[in-house]
């Protein structure tokens, strides 16, 4: 992922925690790891159920934990 793309994702994110950008898309949340050069993305429902992912299992656990611990800080408190 290019630096310009990382910046665009970070600017569009409603929340960034530990290098993970959280973006609302329709009724789901897209989580992007900004620390990786290749795209590591996971899509979850508002209640944290994974729909799809290009992250490895350990990274999925980390991203979901960050979501659960910080979801209340997203705009409109969707959690």
């Amino acid at each position: 992922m290019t630096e310009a793309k990382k910046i665009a994702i970070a600017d569009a994110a409603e929340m960034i925690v530990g290098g993970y950008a959280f973006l609302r898309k329709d009724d789901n949340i897209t989580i992007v790891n900004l620390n990786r050069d290749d795209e590591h993305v996971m899509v979850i429902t508002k209640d944290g159920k994974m729909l799809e992912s290009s992250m490895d299992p350990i990274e999925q656990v980390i991203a979901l934990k960050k979501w659960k611990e910080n979801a209340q800080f997203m705009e409109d408190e969707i959690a």
Side-chain angles (χ1 to χ4, degrees):
M1 176 174 0
T2 66
E3 201 62 31
K5 188 166 185 178
K6 288 181 184 182
I7 291 169
I9 291 169
D11 286 345
E14 293 189 39
M15 175 174 72
I16 298 174
V17 178
Y20 290 90
F22 296 83
L23 304 98
R24 187 186 333 233
K25 298 222 178 178
D26 301 321
D27 290 332
N28 299 317
I29 306 301
T30 300
I31 305 171
V32 181
N33 186 344
L34 298 173
N35 294 319
R36 300 290 302 247
D37 289 333
D38 50 343
E39 292 189 31
H40 281 226
V41 179
M42 179 168 44
V43 179
I44 61 171
T45 62
K46 289 188 257 186
D47 57 351
K49 293 183 178 141
M50 183 175 45
L51 300 174
E52 60 183 296
S53 178
S54 62
M55 295 180 180
D56 62 63
I58 294 172
E59 189 176 17
Q60 291 170 1
V61 170
I62 293 167
L64 285 172
K65 181 178 178 188
K66 291 187 182 306
W67 164 251
K68 289 176 183 175
E69 291 174 348
N70 296 285
Q72 75 268 16
F73 299 115
M74 283 191 72
E75 293 177 12
D76 300 323
E77 298 186 22
I78 62 170

